[in-house]
Every structure is written in C-alpha cells, then in structure tokens.
Amino acid sequence: MSASPPTTEDTLWTLILLVVLSLGVSSQQITDSQRLFTIAVSRVQHLHILAQRYFGNFESSLGPDEKRQLNKIFLQDFCNSDYIISPIDKHETQRSSVLELLLVSYRLVESWEVPSRSLAALSRDQISGKLTELKTGLQLLIRTNQEAAFVEGGVALGRFEDYDQRPDQNLRRNYELLACFRKDMHKVETYLTVAMCRLSPEANCTL
C-alpha cells in the first residue's frame, strides 16, 4: 500500500524539527515550545485513537469464550512497560513536574520501538514511523526543559520480539500487544496533555 501524502501538520512538524536541530537546541533558541507541545499532543492523540481502533476491531473478531478467557489472562498479566516508573494515579500525575512527565513519556514511546514492528501485521498504518517522530519531538521538548538533558537509550519490550515466530500463541500475543499499546498511548497522552497545560497559567489542568 502506498504511503499517504504528507499533511500540513506533518510538514510543520518536520520544519520545526529541522530548524531546532540545525540551531543546536537550547532553551533560548526555542521560542515556540507551545506549538511543539501542541503537535506532540496531537500526534499521541492520533496514536491513541489508532490503538483503540485496533483493539476494538480485534476484540470484535473474537468469540465470547475467547474474549472472556483473554480478558482473564490479561488481568493476571502485565505489560513489559510497567517496569517503567510512572505516576500511578491522577494525583501523582498532577504532582509530577513537566520534565518528569516528558521523561516518562519518552521512555514509554521508546519502549515500543521493537514491538511496534509487529503492529504492522495488524494495521495499515506506519506506526513505527509515527512513534519515531513523536520520540524526536519529545527529545526536543526535554531539552527545552533541562539544558544539556541526556536521555538514556532504550527499554525494549522483549516479549514481542519473537512475535512472528510463535504462531501457536498468536491470539494471546496479539491481544496483549494491542491492549498494552492502547494502555501506554493513553498514559503518554495524559502526561503530555498535563505537561502542555502547565505552560498556560490560566488553564485548568485538573484531570
């Protein structure tokens, strides 16, 4: 399937990234962090919507017994990204700083670099590319909130690395993959929305 033509938002996002990277990125050089935040939130909202759609479509293809059994298994299981320390509820999210919310968002997005390849078998969308663009934008936002910020490299979700090599468990693994992707994109959307809200003193950032 041919790739979709770039949208105005795609072009704007790319221009901002190129300009910021060419300037060497410092808090003085970035004067439009609000716009960058807006684009990042828009991107993760789109990913969250896709995640909800994928999961909903997958669940609708299951029989009642399959759905009940997979729900039971997933409730007893966990996502590999749960190892990433993040706010546990809305109160802790509200108490977290903008930088803390950006860092945990970055780690969650980065953790999907490997398993997102498996999503290609379940969707027509270029999820890996969308996640990479969001990750780059988050790096820039982190640098604007902490001079010379260093983001350490990746937390890979090893559980899904052999996805295509385990056909006997594909049903359960597909379910876990989509459920965890939906869960993590919801987290990132929440954290970035709260972080962006902090830039507007008059805004009500209550979850």
Side-chain angles (χ1 to χ4, degrees):
M1 177 172 291
S2 59
S4 301
T7 63
T8 301
E9 182 184 278
D10 291 329
T11 303
L12 178 60
W13 176 269
T14 302
L15 286 173
I16 290 175
L17 297 188
L18 288 175
V19 170
V20 173
L21 288 172
S22 66
L23 289 174
V25 184
S26 73
S27 57
Q28 292 77 25
Q29 291 168 326
I30 297 179
T31 60
D32 209 357
S33 62
Q34 178 70 52
R35 178 174 296 181
L36 191 57
F37 249 119
T38 300
I39 297 173
V41 170
S42 176
R43 285 300 173 98
V44 74
Q45 285 175 339
H46 179 60
L47 283 166
H48 185 207
I49 289 171
L50 290 178
Q52 290 176 310
R53 183 187 306 160
Y54 301 158
F55 186 76
N57 290 342
F58 185 80
E59 270 204 323
S60 66
S61 70
L62 300 173
D65 291 338
E66 287 177 321
K67 186 185 299 185
R68 185 163 46 251
Q69 185 64 25
L70 287 170
N71 269 306
K72 182 179 178 181
I73 291 172
F74 186 71
L75 288 173
Q76 297 172 348
D77 209 340
F78 57 89
C79 300
N80 279 18
S81 57
D82 290 345
Y83 286 115
I84 298 172
I85 298 175
S86 60
I88 59 174
D89 54 31
K90 64 180 182 180
H91 302 295
E92 190 170 330
T93 300
Q94 294 284 6
R95 291 195 298 268
S96 300
S97 69
V98 169
L99 183 58
E100 288 171 334
L101 294 173
L102 286 171
L103 286 171
V104 72
S105 295
Y106 178 92
R107 290 174 185 133
L108 286 168
V109 170
E110 185 184 43
S111 74
W112 278 93
E113 283 186 331
V114 170
S116 66
R117 300 168 193 166
S118 297
L119 288 170
L122 303 172
S123 72
R124 300 177 182 178
D125 301 282
Q126 298 177 344
I127 298 300
S128 293
K130 295 178 188 296
L131 287 167
T132 297
E133 291 173 351
L134 179 58
K135 177 182 168 182
T136 302
L138 287 171
Q139 285 176 313
L140 300 179
L141 285 167
I142 289 169
R143 291 171 189 169
T144 67
N145 283 271
Q146 182 182 46
E147 288 188 9
F150 176 75
V151 181
E152 295 193 1
V155 180
L157 292 187
R159 172 181 300 176
F160 303 119
E161 285 185 286
D162 61 349
Y163 167 80
D164 290 324
Q165 301 172 26
R166 301 282 297 278
D168 58 313
Q169 295 187 23
N170 269 357
L171 186 66
R172 172 174 174 172
R173 293 167 73 78
N174 284 348
Y175 188 88
E176 288 185 342
L177 179 74
L178 294 171
C180 289
F181 185 57
R182 182 184 64 165
K183 175 182 175 181
D184 286 346
M185 291 305 101
H186 176 63
K187 282 185 178 181
V188 176
E189 180 183 356
T190 299
Y191 299 154
L192 291 186
T193 299
V194 171
M196 181 177 69
C197 189
R198 300 272 176 80
L199 298 179
S200 304
E202 71 281 3
N204 180 4
C205 300
T206 302
L207 292 174

